[in-house]
Amino acid sequence: MLAMFFSLLVFSSALLCKADLNLTEDYSFQLSVFSDLHYGENESSFGIPADMNSAALMRQVLSQEQPNFVVLNGDLITGENTFAFNSTGYVDEIVAPLVEGGYSWASTYGNHDSKYNLSREALYAEEKKYTGSYTQHGPAGTDGVTNYVLPVFPPDTTGSSQAPVALLWFFDSRGGSEYQSLPANVDNIDNYVSNGTVSWYRSTQADLQVRCFPPPFQCPPPSLPPNLLVFKHALMLPRDFFVFIIARLPILHQSQYGTLPSLAFVHIPTLAFVDLQAQTNPNVSGPNYPGLNADVPLAQQGYSNTGSEAIPFMQALLDTPGLHSIYSGHDHGDSWCGRWPDSTLPGYGVGGGSSQNRPFLCFCKHSGYGGYGVWNRGVRQVRMSIDQSGGLSVDTWVRMQAGTVVTAVSLNETYGEDVYSTADGQ
């Protein structure tokens, strides 16, 4: 009880400093996911024009889509090409279109965000100077920086007497090299979500599987139990703060309406993406799973050929009730979505029996003009909708640099059977 209380205390205290993320009046919530922006690459040559093009793309897509929230899904900066005195200054350039447009955002960090002249900690410190940043630092016991969860609430609520209707999970797949370690820019950080982070995730997602009632999802503020009144007086915190926390304590406020739906964001994809890419029926980039499929084979988490280091993370994802879909970048030439596939790798389960119970896997889209590849740039859009029973549905598409929309699909029970246009924006 006490351990759970303090874990949720940390979770809630971060949220009290921010406005809630709320569904719109039609119970939807749209995210624009910018992946692999790679600011700061070769700034002595093509880097400055590339960053200017990336900023123009961001402004254009934000103007066209007007999302409710923005995700920066890793490799914000090409850290190996930066200098120590200006490496974090690229954060200011990256978020300028967001600040100008009044958009809030959350980040994961990628393997190029840790290099000789750039550390994740410094990147996080610079990002947190902005009130629009919802990025959080993972708790003790996790590895990397960006391991956290953000709740999404019903429309026009403040959260003090509400339970969330969905969760957004963010994971740090790490990779890259230690700050100021020699030889410079030689990768020496594990490139997968660590077991410590997996333990935190399993514990936290179990604690937060709380939801109240169908719309308007109202939770009556509970009274304070005597044992928590002691903490209130000891810490001299306002009662509303404790109401906010207790309304989310599973042991005090249980839901009878099933699991809390969620989405997950992690920069480097797992082996499940590799397995999906290798399957032939349906095949990725075809009419059932449309999207660019030019990075073959794709690069996954882990150093071994099997990517087995990430199996604990993969199994934790499969074991998560209500996890709808997982979004990754890293492989600039891929932009498809598919259903988590079968696998024969020992120790890697398929979870939940039927494939219909497994989460979807989606590549984002290479958004920045830095980084390898000559493919046309674009930005994945994710529109989540909550129905009257609390169920989640997701529509997703890619808004291209030319303003066109490609690979618009519904990630539903018949995805993989439905037929879509194979136009991928190239």
Side-chain angles (χ1 to χ4, degrees):
M1 166 70 183
L2 186 57
M4 183 189 300
F5 169 75
F6 280 111
S7 69
L8 291 178
L9 179 67
V10 173
F11 170 76
S12 302
S13 61
L15 299 179
L16 288 180
C17 300
K18 300 287 186 183
D20 286 341
L21 302 181
N22 293 106
L23 299 176
T24 61
E25 289 301 320
D26 65 354
Y27 284 85
S28 68
F29 191 78
Q30 181 178 331
L31 305 101
S32 288
V33 187
F34 294 89
S35 184
D36 296 277
L37 287 167
H38 282 281
Y39 271 65
E41 183 158 333
N42 288 316
E43 62 180 16
S44 62
S45 57
F46 67 83
I48 293 177
D51 293 347
M52 293 174 65
N53 288 335
S54 297
L57 172 67
M58 293 181 72
R59 290 185 173 93
Q60 171 190 312
V61 170
L62 291 171
S63 175
Q64 291 174 319
E65 292 290 347
Q66 298 186 18
N68 304 112
F69 196 63
V70 170
V71 174
L72 306 176
N73 203 16
D75 280 1
L76 282 65
I77 299 170
T78 302
E80 59 267 39
N81 290 165
T82 64
F83 298 97
F85 75 88
N86 74 342
S87 59
T88 59
Y90 286 105
V91 173
D92 305 321
E93 296 184 32
I94 292 168
V95 304
L98 307 179
V99 174
E100 293 167 9
Y103 293 98
S104 298
W105 72 91
S107 301
T108 70
Y109 296 157
N111 50 304
H112 287 276
D113 294 320
S114 286
K115 293 295 179 177
Y116 182 76
N117 285 326
L118 175 66
S119 73
R120 273 165 154 68
E121 295 290 347
L123 181 58
Y124 173 75
E126 186 68 21
E127 190 179 345
K128 292 305 291 182
K129 292 179 181 178
Y130 293 90
T131 58
S133 173
Y134 279 65
T135 305
Q136 300 296 323
H137 197 298
T142 61
D143 296 285
V145 170
T146 53
N147 299 296
Y148 60 102
V149 58
L150 297 177
V152 180
F153 292 97
D156 299 324
T157 58
T158 60
S160 61
S161 62
Q162 296 288 329
V165 295
L167 298 173
L168 305 177
W169 292 98
F170 300 84
F171 299 100
D172 197 326
S173 49
R174 304 179 295 159
S177 57
E178 297 287 353
Y179 182 69
Q180 298 290 290
S181 68
L182 294 172
N185 296 317
V186 174
D187 289 351
N188 55 12
I189 302 174
D190 291 337
N191 65 341
Y192 56 91
V193 176
S194 74
N195 291 348
T197 299
V198 170
S199 296
W200 162 81
Y201 171 56
R202 283 189 177 276
S203 174
T204 305
Q205 66 90 9
D207 289 347
L208 295 177
Q209 281 299 337
V210 175
R211 183 155 45 86
C212 291
F213 306 101
F217 300 98
Q218 293 178 349
C219 304
S223 59
L224 294 177
N227 55 343
L228 292 187
L229 280 172
V230 174
F231 294 118
K232 173 186 182 291
H233 293 302
L235 299 177
M236 299 300 291
L237 293 173
R239 182 183 187 280
D240 285 350
F241 182 85
F242 277 73
V243 168
F244 180 91
I245 298 168
I246 295 167
R248 291 155 176 78
L249 285 175
I251 60 173
L252 297 176
H253 197 75
Q254 291 288 348
S255 169
Q256 57 178 313
Y257 290 97
T259 57
L260 194 58
S262 59
L263 308 180
F265 300 88
V266 59
H267 179 67
I268 305 179
T270 66
L271 175 66
F273 283 79
V274 180
D275 288 345
L276 181 56
Q277 188 181 56
Q279 75 177 21
T280 58
N281 186 27
N283 64 302
V284 295
S285 78
N288 304 113
Y289 288 165
L292 181 65
N293 186 41
D295 265 335
V296 183
L298 62 88
Q300 83 272 8
Q301 292 185 32
Y303 293 114
S304 65
N305 290 334
T306 62
S308 59
E309 296 89 345
I311 286 178
F313 176 55
M314 295 164 65
Q315 195 64 61
L317 294 172
L318 283 170
D319 292 344
T320 301
L323 178 60
H324 178 277
S325 42
I326 302 155
Y327 300 85
S328 291
H330 189 61
D331 294 277
H332 299 180
D334 294 330
S335 64
W336 42 261
C337 295
R339 177 79 70 171
W340 190 300
D342 293 327
S343 176
T344 57
L345 184 66
Y348 158 26
V350 296
S354 168
S355 64
Q356 297 300 310
N357 295 324
R358 303 175 206 158
F360 294 96
L361 307 174
C362 279
F363 274 107
C364 299
K365 177 65 179 173
H366 185 195
S367 304
Y369 284 79
Y372 75 89
V374 296
W375 304 286
N376 294 332
R377 272 46 172 186
V379 183
R380 178 160 295 283
Q381 309 298 314
V382 181
R383 185 178 188 271
M384 49 191 290
S385 300
I386 304 292
D387 63 27
Q388 290 296 306
S389 64
L392 173 69
S393 62
V394 172
D395 296 303
T396 183
W397 61 95
V398 172
R399 174 72 69 171
M400 296 299 297
Q401 60 189 20
T404 56
V405 170
V406 298
T407 62
V409 301
S410 294
L411 299 180
N412 55 24
E413 293 81 359
T414 56
Y415 187 68
E417 301 172 6
D418 300 332
V419 175
Y420 296 97
S421 167
T422 58
D424 58 16
Q426 302 309 308

